[in-house]
């Protein structure tokens, strides 16, 4: 009996310590936020570090010493408004960081056919496989009329059950899928606290505040790549293919893709963002096996930020212009948006 009472008392004590610890962390976070150069409100102080003068953006990729990313927890635990924005979209793009760099929002908005539609970029930096996207889609019932999926196969195919993230030299399992919503919430506010403290220490050491990190839009999923000097630079190298074109899909990819498309529903168009190791042949074979359309812009005139991996702004504008022209010609688009539907929006 005494042991039972002692155990109960211990649990109560540990529970109180946990609650007090959480309150201390929250108070510390709010205090650090008040001194932040990024701006602060009660709404964004816990879940986001807003971009300067732009509360519709949150710091997604940060860490002055160790790179970290927020959007895995933001999407998997449905924190803030990102998942709701994706659920309200007419068209959702899926893929790795190649897609983040390839979609130019201004070009999309200048398209007379697409500018009436809500288009969400749900690409994930550092994640090559589509299993994480599949779990987010299923968990939060994201159901646009049209999906545009980058059928890339570098390292692992998008249509695979790979659940790893690669940031810098490190490849590791996606930890967000192991967390419940409370743990996801605490992880996000803890990461923001860490980043804010790093910012304050750096500002104290340097005597001035230096912005850091990349930000992601809540409303459309875009990454704020303008902060990357290489992305906006002039005279970047042309994108050239360095891969043997004799590359093929395989039954495992086709089987996973069939299951993936059946689960997410809606109309689907495949695309392939050009990079030095992208393979047109496997994407074409996959599209044929799935009986879906493929839009694969040519390399001609595309320029790259890093010598063959990601497009720069000029390359993104050229890619998006081609994609916008071709996507409205597909039967998938026409079925998703019958004549008169887009005009009524």
């Amino acid at each position: 009996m005494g042991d039972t009472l002692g155990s109960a008392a211990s649990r109560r004590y540990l529970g109180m310590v946990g609650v007090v610890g959480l309150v201390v962390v929250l108070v510390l976070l709010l205090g650090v936020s008040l001194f932040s150069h990024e701006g602060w409100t009660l709404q964004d102080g816990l879940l986001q570090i807003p971009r300067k003068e732009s509360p519709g953006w949150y710091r997604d990729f940060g860490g002055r010493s160790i790179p970290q990313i927020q959007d895995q927890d933001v999407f998997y635990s449905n924190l803030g408004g990102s998942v709701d924005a994706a659920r309200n979209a007419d068209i959702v793009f899926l893929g790795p960081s190649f897609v983040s760099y390839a979609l130019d929002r201004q070009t999309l908005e200048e398209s007379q056919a697409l500018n009436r539609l809500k288009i969400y970029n749900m690409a994930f930096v550092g994640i090559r496989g589509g299993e994480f996207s599949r779990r987010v889609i299923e968990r939060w019932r994201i159901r646009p009329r049209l999906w545009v999926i980058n059928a890339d196969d570098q390292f692992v195919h998008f249509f695979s059950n790979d659940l790893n993230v690669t940031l810098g030299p490190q490849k590791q399992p996606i930890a967000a899928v192991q967390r419940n919503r409370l743990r996801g919430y605490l992880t996000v506010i803890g990461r923001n606290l860490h980043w804010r403290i790093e910012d304050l220490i750096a500002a104290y050491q340097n005597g001035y505040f230096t912005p850091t990190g990349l930000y992601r839009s809540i409303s459309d999923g875009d990454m704020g790549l303008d902060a990357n000097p290489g992305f906006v630079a002039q005279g970047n190298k042309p994108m050239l293919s360095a891969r043997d074109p004799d590359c093929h899909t395989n039954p495992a990819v086709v089987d996973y893709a069939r299951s993936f498309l059946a689960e997410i529903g809606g109309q689907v168009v495949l695309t392939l963002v050009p990079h030095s190791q992208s393979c047109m042949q496997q994407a074409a074979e996959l599209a044929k096996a799935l009986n879906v359309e493929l839009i694969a812009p040519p390399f001609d005139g595309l320029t790259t930020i890093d010598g063959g991996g990601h497009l720069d702004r000029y390359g993104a504008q050229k890619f998006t212009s081609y994609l916008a022209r071709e996507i409205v010609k597909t039967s998938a688009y026409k079925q998703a948006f019958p004549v008169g539907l887009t005009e009524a929006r």
Side-chain angles (χ1 to χ4, degrees):
M1 181 71 175
D3 290 343
T4 302
L5 291 175
S7 298
S10 297
R11 287 195 295 271
R12 286 196 297 271
Y13 173 76
L14 292 174
M16 290 179 62
V17 170
V19 170
V20 172
L22 177 59
V23 170
V24 170
V25 169
L26 294 178
V27 170
L28 180 59
L29 176 62
L30 294 175
V32 172
S33 299
L34 285 171
F35 291 97
S36 170
H37 294 257
E38 303 276 0
W40 176 86
T41 68
L42 183 60
Q43 180 179 4
D44 66 39
L46 301 181
L47 287 178
Q48 71 179 109
I49 299 177
R51 196 177 189 180
K52 187 177 181 180
E53 299 178 356
S54 300
W57 296 72
Y58 64 93
R59 189 183 298 182
D60 185 28
F61 185 82
R64 291 177 180 265
S65 56
I66 300 175
Q68 294 179 299
I69 198 158
Q70 283 283 44
D71 57 21
Q72 294 154 30
D73 283 293
V74 165
F75 280 85
Y76 191 76
S77 292
N78 190 3
L79 304 174
S82 296
V83 168
D84 283 342
R87 280 197 294 219
N88 290 330
D90 301 299
I91 301 175
V92 172
F93 281 78
L94 299 178
S97 58
F98 297 129
V99 176
S100 298
Y101 279 79
L103 281 187
D104 182 71
R105 183 62 54 174
Q106 182 177 347
T107 304
L108 288 174
E109 292 174 348
E110 289 172 353
S111 167
Q112 293 184 357
L114 299 179
N115 64 5
R116 298 182 182 90
L117 300 175
K118 297 177 182 177
I119 301 176
Y120 197 88
N121 185 352
M122 208 173 89
F124 290 104
V125 172
I127 302 179
R128 298 301 178 93
E131 176 65 14
F132 179 73
S133 297
R134 185 196 67 79
R135 295 192 183 194
V136 170
I137 292 164
E138 179 60 24
R139 193 176 196 200
W140 304 116
R141 307 297 295 173
I142 300 172
R143 295 290 185 266
R145 290 176 176 269
L146 179 65
W147 299 95
V148 182
I149 304 176
N150 190 52
D152 194 78
D153 71 334
Q154 188 183 32
F155 300 128
V156 297
H157 205 289
F158 177 84
F159 289 113
S160 72
N161 58 9
D162 186 86
L163 266 178
N164 291 295
V165 58
T166 303
L167 291 178
Q170 293 187 336
K171 180 178 180 180
Q172 56 192 13
I174 300 172
V177 299
Q178 303 298 326
R179 294 193 262 266
N180 59 32
R181 291 192 75 187
L182 177 59
R183 287 186 63 199
Y185 177 82
L186 295 176
T187 299
V188 166
I189 64 173
R191 197 176 285 124
N192 282 333
L193 175 60
H194 181 197
W195 289 347
R196 286 189 187 276
I197 290 174
E198 283 187 334
D199 289 348
L200 289 175
I201 292 174
Y204 174 78
Q205 293 174 337
N206 299 332
Y208 56 88
F209 175 75
T210 303
T212 186
L214 289 177
Y215 291 75
R216 188 165 191 175
S217 168
I218 296 171
S219 62
D220 59 30
D222 287 349
M223 296 290 290
L225 299 172
D226 291 356
N228 187 333
F231 181 75
V232 297
Q234 301 291 321
N236 284 326
K237 293 182 178 180
M239 180 72 78
L240 301 173
S241 177
R243 182 165 177 181
D244 184 347
D246 187 24
C247 40
H248 305 277
T249 193
N250 61 69
V253 169
V254 174
D255 288 345
Y256 181 92
R258 283 200 182 107
S259 175
F260 187 103
L261 299 191
E263 185 172 321
I264 66 174
Q267 299 296 321
V268 173
V269 170
L270 299 185
T271 189
L272 187 63
V273 176
H275 61 88
S276 64
Q277 298 299 315
S278 60
C279 173
M280 176 80 75
Q281 181 66 28
Q282 66 83 22
E285 291 174 357
L286 179 60
K288 182 177 180 180
L290 299 174
N291 194 29
V292 298
E293 293 148 294
L294 170 68
I295 301 174
F299 280 71
D300 298 346
L302 298 180
T303 45
T304 170
I305 188 176
D306 47 17
H310 300 85
L311 297 173
D312 61 10
R313 171 181 276 173
Y314 176 79
Q317 291 170 343
K318 196 170 182 65
F319 171 88
T320 306
S321 179
Y322 182 99
L323 186 71
R325 290 196 308 269
E326 296 301 314
I327 199 171
V328 297
K329 301 176 185 178
T330 64
S331 61
Y333 177 88
K334 293 173 182 176
Q335 291 179 53
F337 307 105
V339 176
L341 179 62
T342 56
E343 286 80 358
R345 288 173 175 268

